[in-house]
Amino acid sequence: MKRLSDELTVSPQMPLAAIDEIAAAGFKTIICNRPDGEDPGQPSFSEVAAKAEAAGMKAIFQPVASGNVSDADADAFAANLAAAEKPIFAYCRSGTRCTILWSLANAGQMQVGDIVKAAAEAGYDMAPLAPRIAARG
């Protein structure tokens, strides 16, 4: 788990068994940015949602194709972040997609350097994305 802000932590795919731990850690919402069937053996969103809801969390399905994050995807992620109960736990295959979405969603809300720094501190290099973040701001 990598914390990007007080409101958002991102992660690679977690096993279903980890959802109880995520709830126990105080997370209120899970956002899945992985399409179902992206990798063999990954839990489906319906399995994640059922487990999350049983643990008292809301689950949001916003699948985004790896390597193909659009501005519309970032806008939808921003809307999900604004509407969801916090703190939020978002996951994808490696956490990178979630971090890209967060970076683009925060364009104009945070300084580009602060976005890149927060991502870097969490282990994600968003420096190549800086011009795109700046253009959205």
Side-chain angles (χ1 to χ4, degrees), residues 21-71:
E21 295 171 37
I22 293 165
F27 290 96
K28 304 296 184 195
T29 305
I30 290 180
I31 299 176
C32 171
N33 293 129
R34 256 190 128 174
D36 277 344
E38 186 175 53
D39 282 326
Q42 101 188 40
S44 70
F45 176 71
S46 62
E47 292 172 299
V48 170
K51 184 86 170 163
E53 289 167 13
M57 293 184 293
K58 181 176 180 183
I60 298 170
F61 191 42
Q62 188 197 339
V64 176
S66 181
N68 194 26
V69 177
S70 70
D71 283 346

Side-chain angles (χ1 to χ4, degrees), residues 67-128:
N68 194 26
V69 177
S70 70
D71 283 346
D73 293 327
D75 293 341
F77 194 74
N80 283 328
L81 290 177
E85 190 175 356
K86 286 127 183 111
I88 300 165
F89 182 93
Y91 73 93
C92 58
R93 182 181 309 161
S94 67
T96 301
R97 232 173 309 182
C98 301
T99 304
I100 291 169
L101 288 162
W102 174 82
S103 298
L104 294 172
N106 279 288
Q109 307 300 314
M110 294 173 63
Q111 295 293 321
V112 174
D114 292 339
I115 292 170
V116 171
K117 181 180 178 198
E121 288 173 353
Y124 299 100
D125 182 10
M126 294 294 116

